[in-house]
């Protein structure tokens, strides 16, 4: 009898456990069988070194937007910057990142640091601001050519800064045999320059950059200004490096303009993030531009038209939804020479140029890469009568 009762009790316990398990399964699923949760999605935003602009910009995004977001929770991580950030998104270690526009292009194309191994998980969200290629050097070094035989910090290993450093050095005719290259963060470069261990350091970041600001407060500032020949060679070889001069007074002790080139700081998101999460993030970012700008001046350049028009890789559906909602994406996709001309005007005047037909053929011939990435701009060259006339006046025999 005792054995029989024990058996009955055991069976009752089994049935109770099964019932509890069944109820738990039902609560955790919706009618379609998908898991659901009211908890915000955790987003790790990969940035850059703590002395660079990415990290500062990421910190302001978190401070301003965290209380505005209902679908996600943001955390900011210091990283090795652009290339490392792409890798982190691919590996699932980050869900959003700030990186250089050229690097995301390399990742999708499988070129440069991603040679033969494309990484396409990171999708375009917004172009934020220009990142200037700045060369901080000892007094007496006045051109890129002067770096021959010198010890130069070219940025972290595999970073966007390292890529741009070799592009600038190479366009000036210098190879890896001509300079003693060392790797390190922006702050590493500044510290080594202070200690006399190196002769120059590359920094690719929004100006003014924290590491250089700190250096200029206690040291004689010498920023290398590109010569006309160096600038022309760089832009011929790498048309995505646009002219972006540092105005006098950007840093303490900088009494004159410094001729530089720049790429664009870009916000990207993992394709694994939902459309709703990214849409809410992008909308909150533009809705709170004033507060973001109070936190960091670089957000003053944030503009939805420019942020979407610069996209050179697939745009995240959440970002696309926002741009379409306010009309930017629709205008870009519809075509029309006025829109293309507007983009061309912004692009060319960033060189310090003027908007007229005389330069159209030069741009078309020398900077095809720019128009391959921005078909509407190429469309404007072909279909706008003034630009078209300028092309032909400069020797074009047929339209693009």
């Amino acid at each position: 009898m005792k054995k029989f009762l024990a058996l009955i009790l055991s069976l009752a316990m089994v049935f109770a456990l099964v019932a509890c398990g069944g109820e738990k399964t039902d609560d955790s699923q919706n009618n379609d069988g998908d898991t659901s949760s009211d908890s915000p999605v955790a987003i790790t935003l990969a940035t850059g070194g703590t002395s660079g602009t990415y990290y500062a910009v990421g910190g302001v995004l978190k401070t301003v937007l965290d209380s505005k977001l209902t679908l996600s929770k943001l955390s900011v991580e210091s990283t090795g910057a652009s290339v490392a950030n792409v890798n982190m998104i691919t590996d699932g270690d980050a869900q959003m990142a700030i990186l250089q526009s050229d690097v995301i292009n390399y990742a999708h194309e499988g070129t440069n640091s991603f040679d033969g191994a494309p990484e396409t998980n990171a999708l375009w969200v917004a172009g934020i601001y220009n990142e200037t290629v700045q060369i901080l050097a000892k007094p007496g070094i006045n051109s890129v050519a002067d770096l021959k035989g010198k010890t130069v910090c070219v940025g972290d290993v595999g970073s966007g800064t390292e890529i741009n450093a070799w592009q600038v050095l190479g366009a000036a005719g210098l190879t890896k045999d001509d300079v003693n290259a060392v790797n390190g963060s922006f702050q590493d470069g500044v510290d080594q320059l202070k200690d006399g261990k190196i002769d120059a350091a590359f920094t690719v970041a929004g100006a003014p950059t924290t590491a250089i600001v700190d250096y200029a407060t206690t040291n004689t500032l010498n920023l290398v200004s590109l010569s006309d020949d160096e600038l022309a060679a760089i832009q011929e070889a790498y048309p995505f490096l646009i002219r972006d001069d540092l105005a006098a007074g950007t840093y303490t002790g900088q009494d004159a303009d410094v001729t530089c080139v720049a790429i664009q700081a870009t916000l990207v998101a993992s394709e694994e993030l939902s459309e709703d999460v990214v849409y809410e993030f992008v909308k909150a970012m533009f809705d709170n531009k004033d507060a973001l700008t109070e936190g960091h001046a670089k957000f003053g350049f944030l503009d939805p038209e420019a942020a979407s028009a610069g996209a050179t890789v697939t745009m995240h559906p959440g970002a696309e939804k926002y741009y379409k909602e306010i009309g930017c994406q629709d205008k870009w996709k519809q075509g029309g020479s006025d829109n293309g001309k507007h983009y061309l005007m912004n692009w060319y005047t960033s060189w310090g140029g003027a908007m007229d037909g005389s330069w159209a053929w030069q741009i078309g011939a020398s900077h095809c890469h720019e128009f391959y990435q921005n078909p509407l701009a190429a469309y404007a060259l072909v279909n706008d009568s003034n630009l078209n006339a300028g092309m032909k006046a400069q020797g074009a025999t047929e339209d693009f």
Side-chain angles (χ1 to χ4, degrees):
M1 185 67 180
K2 289 182 179 179
K3 290 182 179 180
F4 179 74
L5 289 173
L7 177 61
I8 293 297
L9 288 172
S10 297
L11 288 172
M13 290 177 67
V14 169
F15 288 135
L17 288 171
V18 170
C20 289
E23 288 176 5
K24 183 176 182 180
T25 301
D26 290 341
D27 286 343
S28 64
Q29 294 182 338
N30 59 27
N31 293 332
D32 296 324
D34 296 325
T35 57
S36 60
S37 173
D38 294 331
S39 300
V41 174
I43 295 179
T44 296
L45 175 65
T47 58
T50 55
S51 62
T53 309
Y54 284 1
Y55 187 74
V57 165
V60 172
L61 281 171
K62 175 176 172 56
T63 299
V64 174
L65 300 188
D66 235 9
S67 63
K68 317 290 183 186
L69 301 173
T70 61
L71 301 179
S72 60
K73 187 72 175 176
L74 192 64
S75 63
V76 178
E77 185 167 333
S78 173
T79 71
S82 295
V83 175
N85 292 354
V86 173
N87 297 154
M88 288 180 69
I89 286 183
T90 299
D91 295 339
D93 296 326
Q95 292 70 46
M96 298 187 80
I98 304 172
L99 45 75
Q100 295 180 193
S101 57
D102 57 333
V103 172
I104 189 61
N105 225 49
Y106 302 145
H108 278 247
E109 293 174 350
T111 57
N112 217 302
S113 295
F114 305 89
D115 190 19
E119 296 186 30
T120 60
N121 301 64
L123 305 181
W124 188 279
V125 172
I128 307 175
Y129 60 88
N130 278 358
E131 292 189 273
T132 310
V133 181
Q134 304 164 83
I135 309 172
L136 183 63
K138 288 181 176 179
I141 297 176
N142 300 312
S143 68
V144 178
D146 290 344
L147 295 175
K148 185 172 183 178
K150 306 297 184 183
T151 300
V152 182
C153 182
V154 294
D156 279 321
V157 176
S159 66
T161 297
E162 184 180 37
I163 292 171
N164 295 144
W166 285 115
Q167 288 168 341
V168 170
L169 291 166
L174 301 180
T175 69
K176 293 185 178 182
D177 294 329
D178 294 320
V179 297
N180 176 29
V182 297
N183 293 105
S185 67
F186 299 158
Q187 193 62 53
D188 291 337
V190 166
D191 290 342
Q192 291 170 10
L193 194 59
K194 288 179 182 177
D195 296 339
K197 296 178 179 178
I198 62 174
D199 301 295
F202 276 84
T203 298
V204 181
T209 307
T210 302
I212 300 178
V213 169
D214 292 345
Y215 178 89
T217 59
T218 55
N219 298 269
T220 301
L221 183 73
N222 180 39
L223 289 167
V224 176
S225 189
L226 300 173
S227 68
D228 290 343
D229 289 343
E230 289 169 345
L231 178 63
I234 290 167
Q235 291 184 327
E236 182 175 358
Y238 308 105
F240 50 81
L241 289 173
I242 61 171
R243 180 170 179 169
D244 186 40
D245 294 354
L246 295 177
T250 300
Y251 296 104
T252 300
Q254 183 197 341
D255 299 325
D257 292 353
V258 177
T259 302
C260 302
V261 290
I263 43 81
Q264 193 174 37
T266 303
L267 181 66
V268 299
S270 169
E271 62 183 2
E272 301 298 325
L273 281 180
S274 74
E275 177 179 308
D276 289 344
V277 166
V278 175
Y279 168 82
E280 183 191 47
F281 188 98
V282 175
K283 187 176 189 304
M285 183 172 67
F286 284 104
D287 286 350
N288 293 278
K289 176 183 174 179
D290 289 345
L292 289 169
T293 305
E294 288 179 10
H296 199 292
K298 285 301 174 186
F299 284 108
F301 296 98
L302 189 63
D303 172 77
E305 187 171 338
S308 58
T312 59
V313 299
T314 303
M315 186 175 288
H316 194 286
E320 184 171 4
K321 178 183 177 180
Y322 174 79
Y323 295 128
K324 289 178 71 174
E325 185 177 89
I326 64 172
C328 285
Q329 192 75 356
D330 283 341
K331 289 180 180 178
W332 185 249
K333 286 186 174 180
Q334 285 168 4
S337 63
D338 286 344
N339 294 314
K341 190 193 296 185
H342 176 73
Y343 173 77
L344 282 169
M345 184 180 293
N346 288 340
W347 183 73
Y348 189 66
T349 52
S350 69
W351 282 13
M355 185 68 186
D356 59 55
S358 64
W359 49 266
W361 168 235
Q362 176 191 351
I363 291 177
S366 302
H367 304 286
C368 297
H369 183 266
E370 185 72 23
F371 301 113
Y372 171 75
Q373 292 180 344
N374 296 280
L376 188 54
Y379 179 88
L381 273 179
V382 176
N383 291 281
D384 184 273
S385 58
N386 291 330
L387 297 179
N388 200 265
M391 288 167 59
K392 293 179 179 177
Q394 294 297 311
T397 56
E398 57 185 52
D399 293 339
F400 288 91

